[in-house]
Amino acid sequence: MSIVAGVDFGTLSVRVTLADTERGPLGTAIAEYPLGRSRSEPDLATQSHADHMEGLVRAMRSVSDECGIDPTTVRSIAVDTTGSSVIPVDRNLNPLSDYYLWCDHRAKAEAEEITATAHETHLEAIEWCGGTYSHEWGFAKLLHWLRHNPRLRDRFGTALEHCDMAAAVLTGVTDSSAVVRSVCAMGHKWMWNPKWGGLPSQAFLSRVDPLFDGVREKIGGTYQTSAKVAGRLSLEWADKLGLTAGIPVPVGAFDAHWDAIGAGCRLGDVVNVIGTSTCIIAVSERVKLIPGVCGVVPGSAHPDLVGVEAGLSATGDIFDAIARRASTTVSKLSEGLGRIEGGKTGLMRFSWDNGDRTVLVRSDLGGMTIGWHLGHTAQDELYAAIEGTAFHTRIILERMEQHGVPVHRVINGGGVPQKNALLNQIYANVLGKPILVPDGLPTGLGSGIFASLASKDHGSIETAQAAMCVGFKRFDPDPATRERYEMLYQLYKQVYMGFGTSGRSNFSEVLGDIKRIAAGEEVRSDFGQRAQRKVASL
């Protein structure tokens, strides 16, 4: 049998999965590393490159031992990472500071300046990332670093996404101009697209800030999909990992995109990769602008299709915060949660605790719960928060469908759906579609699939998925709650659009309608038309 290694760098740990290219996962090991936070600077979130690579060594050694597999038989190794996680390096790829992690929010002012300049100059790229450039993305983080590290500017060689840095280091690249860059990473976070010749022009970047002078040339190298090989494993890293030097290392990508492939995503599927946040991944045959959706990039998830990325800026983080404020854990707070009847808490929870990534694209929004009375509990809020993330997901899926992205199957991937059957059932009820959940954690399996392409054990994504992906558990919508959730969704959309867009909105009837639905009372016969009219007017 052929064995490949899939590496998944997460926010707090790295996971290495060994997989048989004909039978799927054989075993997984995890190594944790610290996350840099600051009490005085709460938006800061950093991580050390050295900690990442040391964790990779520990996880690789551990999974080889646990599986009883000689690591020298591994035929390829592939790496995905969080994004946008950015590290500035010198010309020889030596780090000049720690990574700005995806959850580092220090670059808000820089993102606003990039957005404003893009609209002033009618930059086409800004429309393809939802009309707003995010503080979570590459150019904003790089500009923040350049402004706050004047003594290091002269040593700046380039900035790299984590997935590209990891592949470059593993393959022994020591020249910043020789880096192979991921189309997935650069397309979704750096406004790269072949439609306008790659990155935004140097004139635009310099207009944002003269500190960007010359930066377009420095963000150079080769741009490739993950169907291509970035290089071969170096002797140094083969020795550290216990692998064989010279095995192929494909071009890396972001974790959610490869998780979608590992979850079995095909044309017509949408995958909700639900963890601390939610990344929604779909693939399409056509390149088409989708207002409010943060990324439409050819070749990003599937090398031969157009990748579409959207999502919620907080999901599991919201559940954790509710439990923490109640001095308990999500697991404890979830005990008995199934006794609550869907749509009957009387609460409506909006998942804006980290802002709105899609479709409003507003980082300044905050979490909101309406409908409180004095008898409500933290458990009621947790239930409403799960419903709220499902409602928000439906808003996004409807926007995709309206602009030509087929949504035939919905797959709940990521770690949270593996541990929360109630969440999957609520999503099925709210979306009105069956929810498929991989029968086993697919994290890291996407990396294994791309490793199998690099090792030539499979000739296509589809043949690799057929051999390596796990089956599904299915959650069908409950007819008893469908009408109730349909009414609540119209109210949710009314408030979501009303608070999230400019202009006057009248919400005077919303709270009363929520209470009437919770009590099982009749609502006025014009309810649906009234709610739809209000949404349409916003």
Side-chain angles (χ1 to χ4, degrees), residues 68-293:
I69 289 173
D70 179 356
T72 62
T73 62
V74 171
R75 288 168 49 85
S76 178
I77 180 172
V79 178
D80 70 46
T81 65
T82 62
S84 187
S85 290
V86 178
I87 190 165
V89 297
D90 66 16
R91 294 170 185 82
N92 301 119
L93 266 64
N94 297 305
L96 295 176
S97 71
D98 286 345
Y99 282 96
Y100 278 56
L101 282 193
W102 69 273
C103 50
D104 187 301
H105 300 306
R106 286 176 289 169
K108 292 176 182 176
E110 288 74 14
E112 290 173 0
E113 292 170 42
I114 292 170
T115 299
T117 305
H119 287 292
E120 288 169 7
T121 58
H122 305 289
L123 184 75
E124 182 179 4
I126 197 66
E127 303 304 329
W128 288 81
C129 56
T132 304
Y133 197 77
S134 172
H135 60 277
E136 294 183 2
W137 298 349
F139 278 119
K141 289 177 174 177
L142 174 56
L143 183 55
H144 183 276
W145 183 84
L146 289 170
R147 287 175 171 175
H148 290 82
N149 293 275
R151 295 180 182 177
L152 295 175
R153 287 179 201 149
D154 289 343
R155 294 175 56 194
F156 175 71
T158 190
L160 291 169
E161 284 286 344
H162 187 183
C163 61
D164 296 334
M165 178 67 168
V169 169
L170 290 176
T171 56
V173 175
T174 56
D175 179 353
S176 61
S177 65
V179 169
V180 180
R181 295 183 188 265
S182 163
V183 160
C184 174
M186 303 306 291
H188 285 287
K189 309 301 181 185
W190 294 76
M191 296 191 285
W192 178 92
N193 197 303
K195 189 175 189 293
W196 47 80
L199 296 171
S201 71
Q202 183 58 61
F204 165 77
L205 294 169
S206 294
R207 180 164 175 167
V208 172
D209 193 306
L211 287 176
F212 271 154
D213 285 352
V215 77
R216 193 178 192 274
E217 183 179 355
K218 291 181 177 181
I219 311 295
T222 305
Y223 288 66
Q224 298 284 1
T225 71
S226 295
K228 302 296 184 181
V229 171
R232 302 277 167 173
L233 187 66
S234 70
L235 277 169
E236 176 189 359
W237 281 95
D239 182 61
K240 290 180 178 180
L241 297 170
L243 305 179
T244 300
I247 62 173
V249 180
V251 177
F254 288 154
D255 50 1
H257 295 74
W258 278 10
D259 281 352
I261 296 298
C265 182
R266 65 192 188 199
L267 192 63
D269 291 346
V270 166
V271 181
N272 302 317
V273 184
I274 304 173
T276 54
S277 63
T278 295
C279 196
I280 299 174
I281 304 294
V283 290
S284 176
E285 292 179 307
R286 296 184 297 162
V287 180
K288 187 176 180 181
L289 180 66
I290 306 174
V293 169

Side-chain angles (χ1 to χ4, degrees), residues 300-322:
S300 66
H302 189 298
D304 301 321
L305 296 170
V306 178
V308 180
E309 178 189 343
L312 282 64
S313 293
T315 307
D317 272 353
I318 295 175
F319 308 155
D320 287 339
I322 293 169

Side-chain angles (χ1 to χ4, degrees), residues 358-372:
T358 316
V359 298
L360 300 172
V361 199
R362 285 186 56 181
S363 61
D364 60 328
L365 293 174
M368 181 172 72
T369 306
I370 61 176
W372 287 105

